Amino acid sequence: MTMKRMKASLVIAVMVLSELGVTAKAQRTSAETADSGKTYELLPGLDKRLIDTTADPCVDFFQYACGNFTKLYPIPNDRSSFGTGAMIVEHTQQVLHTMLEKAAVGSVGRNSNEHSNEQKIGDAYAACMDVDAISQKGLKPLQPELDRIAALKSKDELPELLAHHQLIGVNTFLGFGQQQDFKDARKQIAVVDQGGLGMPERDYYFRTGEAPEKTRTQYVQHIANMLKLISEPEAKAGADAQAIMKLETALAKVSMDITSRRNPNKVYHLMPVSELATLDPGIAWGRFLAASGAPPVTELNVTNPEFFQGLNGLLAATDMETIKTYLRWQLIASIPGYVLPKAFDDEDFDFYGRKLRGQPEQKTRWKRCVQATDAGLGEALSQVYVAQEFPPASKKATLQMVKDIEAAMDQDIDTLDWMSSATKVRAKEKLHAVADKIGYPDHWRDYSSLTIARDDAFGNGLRATEFENRRQLAKIGKPVDRGEWLITPATVDAYYNPSMNDINFPAGILQAPLYDSHASDASNYGHIGGVVGHELTHGFDDQGRQFDANGNLEDWWTPEDGKKFDQKADCEVKEYGNFVAVDDVKLNGKLTLGENTADNGGLRLAYIALLADAKRKNIDLTKKQDGYTPIQQFFLGHGQSWCGATRPEQLRLQVQTDPHSPRQFRANGVVQNMPEFGHAFGCKTGQPMMPVNACRVW
Ligand SMILES: [Zn+2]
């Protein structure tokens, strides 16, 4: 019930799970499939059924820890990948589904003046589920937006339309929103970013080879098919699709690649609005800003000045008809398929789901409607979810774990032989300033001004997106709310935000097997301890280390220590850059560096915390319990966090767009760098999981 692109904010927060952290493209309706009805229980912290005892843990630990997972749980047809995290997601969706069905029944016939959260989530869910009403309306809800584009007479009228598109989540030409000022984290400022592409990332327009070329051909066909669905004649749709591809390719050419965008200095150019107007005089920025919904703006971050110079030339060189065709395409591409007639939904899924991700079938409607309600009314839904599903004991146990891991990092910094004491003082200053956020926010978001109608799925989506975008923009010039969360409490993920210098663990991720109150401490340290350590280490990876204790982009390292860090990190760039994900596609060692550093540092911190915990409790970590020593259970916990499989199309997409390494490399890459693993499993130096040259940053 939101547009596909919703949040008008630029945050470089780093998540732990790629399969869950990325907002899915809209997906189509389908009949109930066998997979949609399956119920998923939560797995235990250590699940021996998953272990392939015929594999040698010293040769391929992932195979050993997870070898039986896909035999027991093959990838369902409505997914492009499946694993430990996805299983928690499926389980959580079923819980939310039951809650929403109840809320939807409860909201029938209620006085419409009662705008309670429960009524809103019930109505939003019911409207999304009402396939008959959606297909009866057909394209009518879209018509005012199409008319608005048709009415454009000249390029001079573009600023107001572009501003309107930003508010309703349409990705035409650029992105506009707010962010915390990288160099003064107390301030919230406006930001204008590159945008306007329909494929996942700029390099999709330029890569050579059979697979990338095929994807481009399929993309052009997809654009033509979508245009035909808004009544363009076949020949015109084909020619228009080519013109759109040409325009997007030119936009891509002046866009920055995804790896460069990880560097905060490369996407930070604070300037007065007048300077942006000089870079890109083709857009009347004063009028754009006045129509944008933002408070008065005098300066803003222009992430990529070269993009706006390029956009200026491009708009000048493109005729009005082509621009209007492109605007129509971006409009229909931004609307989630489930609020449109089935033919749109099917076509959208065919390209973004089946072809790009290799997903055989669309998810059943209730799953998409649960996701949509979470995306649009997340904190209203989560308020009910948390009360029902998140016991105070889980919050308490997680807080203890977080404190243990932070103490481990404090201790770890003391032992680093490569870091000077001056940098150590600053590192500890930053560590001690990290804010821990667990479970759910202290203050819930107020949705009282958002109108949700039980018979208007399309309008609900548009209004929820505009509500969220206006909420983001209203922050400009105001003090930062440090209690705010970027993801909803029911989300199975976690993140570190360098501008806030906080680590965030929503209720959704604090479930078995990641946190299992019945499992051994060792297994929990390997699972959720590794996740906590991962987020904390993000504050000190190649990106996070550039921000200080207050969340400001400021170099607090001595030049020698900075150089040593880069050398150590380079070992991981090479290690992961040599892993082959699919066919001849290798991992991008630089794109995944931050995540890999966080995985490696995170598990080491969890290990240090485990040793301290065992000492406190007088536990012998080398004595077998239940078939495995606690140290082996710790590593199995880590390994089993990543069980599962990914379809080849999705793997290709992941390697080319996602900073997270695929699952097997997350499991094995880390243990290869921990000789403690080799000792625990009796490996010999030189075996694959115990190489002679291990990498270590933290
Ligand atoms: Zn991460």
Side-chain angles (χ1 to χ4, degrees):
M1 57 160 271
T2 54
M3 302 291 267
K4 290 183 210 164
R5 176 185 165 275
M6 177 166 72
K7 278 186 190 142
S9 65
L10 179 80
V11 192
I12 52 172
V14 269
M15 309 283 186
V16 67
L17 298 171
S18 63
E19 58 190 359
L20 316 161
V22 180
T23 310
K25 276 271 184 182
Q27 292 152 335
R28 78 174 168 91
T29 324
S30 71
E32 291 281 318
T33 64
D35 287 321
S36 68
K38 213 175 261 174
T39 55
Y40 293 99
E41 296 303 321
L42 296 173
L43 298 176
L46 174 61
D47 193 339
K48 289 196 199 160
R49 296 173 312 143
L50 308 180
I51 296 173
D52 175 2
T53 50
T54 67
D56 183 345
C58 300
V59 174
D60 184 349
F61 180 56
F62 177 72
Q63 179 61 30
Y64 181 78
C66 297
N68 289 338
F69 184 94
T70 39
K71 285 177 210 152
L72 291 162
Y73 308 104
I75 309 177
N77 279 339
D78 67 349
R79 284 193 161 268
S80 55
S81 68
F82 194 63
T84 312
M87 242 166 131
I88 311 175
V89 173
E90 292 286 343
H91 173 82
T92 306
Q93 286 205 329
Q94 279 158 356
V95 172
L96 295 174
H97 181 212
T98 309
M99 279 169 39
L100 284 169
E101 288 284 349
K102 212 173 120 198
V105 172
S107 65
V108 175
R110 221 183 258 171
N111 184 338
S112 59
N113 291 328
E114 273 177 58
H115 294 298
S116 72
N117 277 341
E118 204 154 355
Q119 166 140 22
K120 280 203 165 87
I121 58 174
D123 284 347
Y125 176 76
C128 178
M129 288 298 290
D130 194 348
V131 187
D132 291 342
I134 290 166
S135 69
Q136 248 169 38
K137 286 186 186 175
L139 282 185
K140 250 180 274 159
L142 191 63
Q143 202 53 49
E145 295 299 335
L146 288 169
D147 291 347
R148 205 164 166 157
I149 295 169
L152 276 181
K153 285 190 209 67
S154 72
K155 291 177 196 171
D156 186 48
E157 294 176 358
L158 272 175
E160 284 78 12
L161 184 75
L162 294 185
H164 169 68
H165 274 186
Q166 289 300 310
L167 273 175
I168 62 167
V170 182
N171 181 33
T172 40
F173 290 118
L174 52 91
F176 176 74
Q178 67 77 36
Q179 67 167 108
Q180 261 174 288
D181 188 339
F182 283 163
K183 296 218 167 151
D184 183 355
R186 295 166 306 178
K187 277 167 64 184
Q188 297 182 111
I189 57 170
V191 54
V192 63
D193 196 8
Q194 66 186 38
L197 304 181
M199 283 203 283
E201 203 266 323
R202 63 93 69 191
D203 287 347
Y204 270 75
Y205 292 83
F206 307 112
R207 267 193 202 94
T208 52
E210 201 184 321
E213 279 155 25
K214 189 172 156 200
T215 300
R216 282 195 289 275
T217 307
Q218 290 170 332
Y219 179 58
V220 173
Q221 187 58 55
H222 168 60
I223 300 174
N225 292 345
M226 291 292 273
L227 293 175
K228 275 188 265 175
L229 289 171
I230 50 168
S231 309
E232 279 202 11
E234 173 118 26
K236 182 170 168 11
D240 281 351
Q242 295 289 354
I244 288 166
M245 185 60 167
K246 202 176 141 209
L247 181 56
E248 286 192 7
T249 305
L251 271 179
K253 205 162 187 181
V254 291
S255 298
M256 196 184 288
D257 68 275
I258 195 170
T259 307
S260 301
R261 282 172 66 80
R262 282 193 65 246
N263 184 342
N265 280 303
K266 287 195 176 164
V267 291
Y268 182 78
H269 304 90
L270 188 65
M271 59 177 75
V273 175
S274 57
E275 203 175 322
L276 171 62
T278 311
L279 280 173
D280 183 358
I283 293 174
W285 289 101
R287 277 169 46 209
F288 173 87
L289 291 169
S292 70
V297 169
T298 51
E299 58 171 9
L300 77 177
N301 178 19
V302 178
T303 56
N304 180 4
E306 278 154 37
F307 174 81
F308 287 93
Q309 271 172 332
L311 178 61
N312 182 53
L314 202 60
L315 279 177
T318 309
D319 64 89
M320 197 56 208
E321 276 318 300
T322 305
I323 289 175
K324 284 163 90 165
T325 307
Y326 166 77
L327 295 174
R328 278 202 301 276
W329 152 243
Q330 283 293 334
L331 171 70
I332 50 176
S334 302
I335 312 253
Y338 52 79
V339 301
L340 289 172
K342 188 172 181 301
F344 278 88
D345 202 14
D346 287 350
E347 176 58 35
D348 186 76
F349 173 74
D350 185 62
F351 180 71
Y352 288 106
R354 193 175 287 122
K355 296 201 169 94
L356 266 188
R357 296 177 181 273
Q359 185 178 323
E361 284 175 19
Q362 177 57 281
K363 281 188 198 308
T364 191
R365 182 161 274 266
W366 74 255
K367 288 188 186 176
R368 303 168 73 201
C369 291
V370 166
Q371 276 177 349
T373 312
D374 187 49
L377 288 157
E379 289 199 8
L381 178 59
S382 285
Q383 233 173 313
V384 188
Y385 172 79
V386 163
Q388 184 183 311
E389 297 291 319
F390 190 57
S394 291
K395 185 159 180 163
K396 201 171 156 230
T398 309
L399 189 62
Q400 184 58 50
M401 177 71 81
V402 170
K403 293 291 170 207
D404 287 356
I405 302 281
E406 285 171 349
M409 181 154 225
D410 201 274
Q411 191 187 325
D412 180 47
I413 290 170
D414 283 334
T415 64
L416 297 174
D417 57 8
W418 56 273
M419 190 185 270
S420 70
S421 52
T423 306
K424 281 183 181 177
V425 169
R426 298 294 304 270
K428 286 206 174 186
E429 203 178 291
K430 176 162 185 177
L431 170 65
H432 298 151
V434 171
D436 308 323
K437 285 151 71 178
I438 295 159
Y440 52 90
D442 293 337
H443 306 287
W444 295 100
R445 202 160 292 166
D446 176 9
Y447 294 98
S448 54
S449 64
L450 171 60
T451 304
I452 297 294
R454 203 180 168 88
D455 58 356
D456 186 11
F458 187 96
N460 289 343
L462 228 57
R463 283 187 295 272
T465 302
E466 187 168 346
F467 172 82
E468 170 61 12
N469 284 335
R470 286 190 184 276
R471 191 183 73 79
Q472 293 288 346
L473 293 170
K475 294 177 182 175
I476 295 169
K478 301 242 171 68
V480 175
D481 171 9
R482 293 198 163 258
E484 191 181 354
W485 287 63
L486 297 175
I487 53 179
T488 68
T491 308
V492 185
D493 211 333
Y495 70 92
Y496 170 77
N497 181 349
S499 291
M500 292 277 203
N501 194 25
D502 63 4
I503 48 178
N504 303 260
F505 306 97
I509 201 169
L510 304 173
Q511 301 187 76
L514 299 182
Y515 169 69
D516 177 2
S517 58
H518 304 294
S520 68
D521 289 340
S523 158
N524 278 329
Y525 274 100
H527 272 298
I528 196 73
V531 172
V532 171
H534 174 103
E535 298 310 336
L536 194 60
T537 305
H538 268 316
F540 304 86
D541 69 18
D542 62 310
Q543 186 181 66
R545 80 174 188 90
Q546 300 183 58
F547 292 81
D548 69 9
N550 298 316
N552 295 328
L553 183 57
E554 196 217 297
D555 192 1
W556 47 271
W557 294 61
T558 66
E560 305 87 85
D561 289 341
K563 210 180 282 170
K564 283 182 198 154
F565 178 94
D566 289 339
Q567 281 163 6
K568 288 182 165 291
D570 198 49
C571 177
E572 285 180 357
V573 172
K574 293 196 178 88
E575 177 194 1
Y576 285 81
N578 274 319
F579 290 139
V580 178
V582 57
D583 301 333
D584 56 343
V585 183
K586 283 185 179 175
L587 267 57
N588 176 342
K590 285 206 165 116
L591 175 64
T592 56
L593 175 59
E595 294 301 331
N596 298 333
T597 304
D599 279 348
N600 281 274
L603 199 68
R604 176 164 297 281
L605 294 181
Y607 184 80
I608 297 169
L610 168 70
L611 297 187
D613 181 68
K615 201 169 165 192
R616 262 196 316 260
K617 294 175 183 161
N618 214 2
I619 294 169
D620 181 356
L621 290 174
T622 58
K623 204 173 136 210
K624 278 191 185 176
Q625 290 164 356
D626 201 18
Y628 292 98
T629 69
I631 291 189
Q632 288 174 331
Q633 291 181 26
F634 168 83
F635 283 110
L636 283 165
H638 156 71
Q640 292 195 339
S641 296
W642 304 114
C643 290
T646 306
R647 297 187 195 278
E649 295 88 344
Q650 172 67 23
L651 255 181
R652 185 179 288 270
L653 179 77
Q654 182 178 349
V655 170
Q656 291 171 348
T657 60
D658 190 334
H660 301 85
S661 297
R663 57 182 79 251
Q664 66 271 38
F665 308 115
R666 297 190 77 168
N668 284 351
V670 172
V671 299
Q672 285 180 36
N673 291 330
M674 286 184 79
E676 294 87 345
F677 168 82
H679 296 312
F681 282 88
C683 309
K684 290 189 203 74
T685 306
Q687 283 192 285
M689 296 298 115
M690 203 176 179
V692 182
N693 298 314
C695 301
R696 181 171 171 190
V697 180
W698 291 102

